[in-house]
Amino acid sequence: MIIKILGSAAGGGFPQWNCNCSNCADVRNGAPGFTARTQSSLAVSRDGKDWVLLNASPDLRKQINDTPELGAQSSGGLRNSPIKAAVLTNGDVDHISGLINLREMEPLAVYGSDRVLTVLAQNSIFNVLNSEKVVRRELKLGEPTKLSGTEAMLGITVEAFPVPGKVALYLEDASKGADFGTVEGDTIGLKITDTETGKYFFYVPGCADLDAPLARRLEGAALVFFDGTLFDDNEMIDAGLSAKTGKRMGHISMSGPEGSIAAFEKLGVARKVYVHINNSNPVLNENSDARKEAEAAGWSIGYDGMEIRI
Ligand SMILES: [Zn+2]
């Protein structure tokens, strides 16, 4: 299986268009140790020809143009696309709005939880994806599903499972208490398996807490892509960027006794890669103490174009 990080940043990307925090200013100015990043998405393929998107970010058009395997192929017809399916992990703007880039009448299968498919159905702009070409399929939680495009099987099996999280920001309902109306299926993780070889990896780009069921599931895995939104729970507040903690945004932070670095320490995961990294995160500076701390604990900081084969 070939896995490519198309976008390693969280919502807003890096730099974020309206942000003048020190990270965004440094990457904008070309400071050494900083690399620009697009918004959250991976691509996976069994054979290097047919591809599956894991989330569809607003930067998808750039990501496709930066990844020749994903654009129209010279061996295909006048118009063609190697992207046969897209799997969505939640209804966040940075994970679904890229679908609108795929409106030019190519066959596509879109997979999501019942909750996420409902969001698509309720937002009529997604009807630009012509239903004669684009099918929407429910990904039932806990049921391994063999992915297919609109025509052929793709050799990849996906199992979606609920992870602690929060409903998308634009769907929050303050009248529904401290969790803003979050229900199971609002945020899911994916186990992605090569149907033929049985090799698998996990993709968990949004996660509020590494609770016991999730820890058990990830234990001993060969490869996990995990939520790297913030380094410190108070980082957005300390930088004067926002009044929200990471917890309030539905994201576990990297550092501290309750952070993901500590939580993964005993899980025996062979390869750990942070994705969905917010522009405020100090690990984006290659020379920072935070970067050294994450790398010393065995983590890779994901970057756009990173390719892993399993
Ligand atoms: Zn910034």
Side-chain angles (χ1 to χ4, degrees):
M1 215 163 17
I2 309 165
I3 307 148
K4 274 182 171 281
I5 296 183
L6 302 182
S8 52
F14 185 50
Q16 178 173 311
W17 68 283
N18 66 339
C19 191
N20 198 28
C21 75
S22 65
N23 271 352
C24 286
D26 280 340
V27 72
R28 201 173 276 126
N29 294 329
F34 291 85
T35 306
R37 285 167 161 82
T38 61
Q39 294 167 89
S40 180
S41 175
L42 263 61
V44 187
S45 176
R46 235 321 254 135
D47 57 7
K49 291 181 185 149
D50 291 340
W51 288 84
V52 177
L53 297 178
L54 306 182
N55 289 323
S57 96
D59 296 321
L60 184 57
R61 179 180 172 279
K62 172 176 166 51
Q63 292 166 343
I64 291 172
N65 288 340
D66 288 346
T67 314
E69 303 94 304
L70 297 183
Q73 301 295 298
S74 56
S75 55
L78 186 58
R79 291 207 165 155
N80 69 85
S81 168
I83 300 172
K84 304 302 181 192
V87 182
L88 309 173
T89 60
N90 61 19
D92 281 359
V93 171
D94 56 323
H95 284 158
I96 65 172
S97 59
L99 289 176
I100 294 167
N101 282 291
L102 303 175
R103 64 187 179 277
E104 277 92 8
M105 299 292 283
E106 290 297 335
L108 181 75
V110 176
Y111 290 85
S113 69
D114 177 49
R115 269 288 267 192
V116 171
L117 293 186
T118 301
V119 168
L120 298 185
Q122 287 172 342
N123 287 272
S124 55
I125 192 168
F126 290 103
N127 293 341
V128 296
L129 299 168
N130 188 322
S131 61
E132 287 176 16
K133 295 281 184 183
V134 179
V135 297
R136 302 177 188 185
R137 296 184 183 137
E138 185 183 349
L139 206 52
K140 294 230 189 257
L141 300 180
E143 282 182 24
T145 302
K146 289 183 178 173
L147 298 184
S148 62
T150 55
E151 289 155 12
M153 300 302 288
L154 298 172
I156 292 171
T157 301
V158 169
E159 181 185 348
F161 51 89
V163 300
K166 183 186 72 62
V167 66
L169 177 64
Y170 65 94
L171 297 173
E172 284 185 1
D173 183 346
S175 72
K176 291 189 174 164
D179 66 0
F180 304 96
T182 300
V183 302
E184 185 174 84
D186 272 329
T187 303
I188 58 176
L190 302 175
K191 180 182 183 181
I192 294 139
T193 305
D194 182 322
T195 309
E196 202 175 296
T197 67
K199 290 189 175 173
Y200 64 89
F201 70 97
F202 289 98
Y203 175 52
V204 187
C207 181
D209 180 31
L210 205 84
D211 61 4
L214 180 58
R216 270 198 300 278
R217 194 185 286 274
L218 301 182
E219 195 164 8
L223 173 63
V224 176
F225 294 90
F226 195 76
D227 183 345
T229 308
L230 300 185
F231 187 76
D232 183 274
D233 197 46
N234 288 316
E235 153 188 325
M236 302 278 288
I237 300 169
D238 292 345
L241 295 169
S242 165
K244 291 179 184 175
T245 62
K247 280 201 185 96
R248 167 63 184 85
M249 296 189 293
H251 296 288
I252 186 174
S253 298
M254 295 180 181
S255 67
E258 296 178 353
S260 56
I261 291 175
F264 269 82
E265 236 157 42
K266 289 180 185 151
L267 296 185
V269 173
R271 192 157 187 195
K272 304 173 282 191
V273 182
Y274 278 127
V275 291
H276 197 274
I277 305 163
N278 194 55
N279 57 72
S280 59
N281 193 320
V283 301
L284 290 172
N285 176 357
E286 289 169 19
N287 303 312
S288 66
D289 290 343
R291 177 69 158 251
K292 288 176 193 135
E293 183 181 332
E295 288 179 344
W299 285 87
S300 301
I301 307 303
Y303 56 90
D304 294 15
M306 185 179 190
E307 181 179 310
I308 298 177
R309 291 176 184 237
I310 61 169

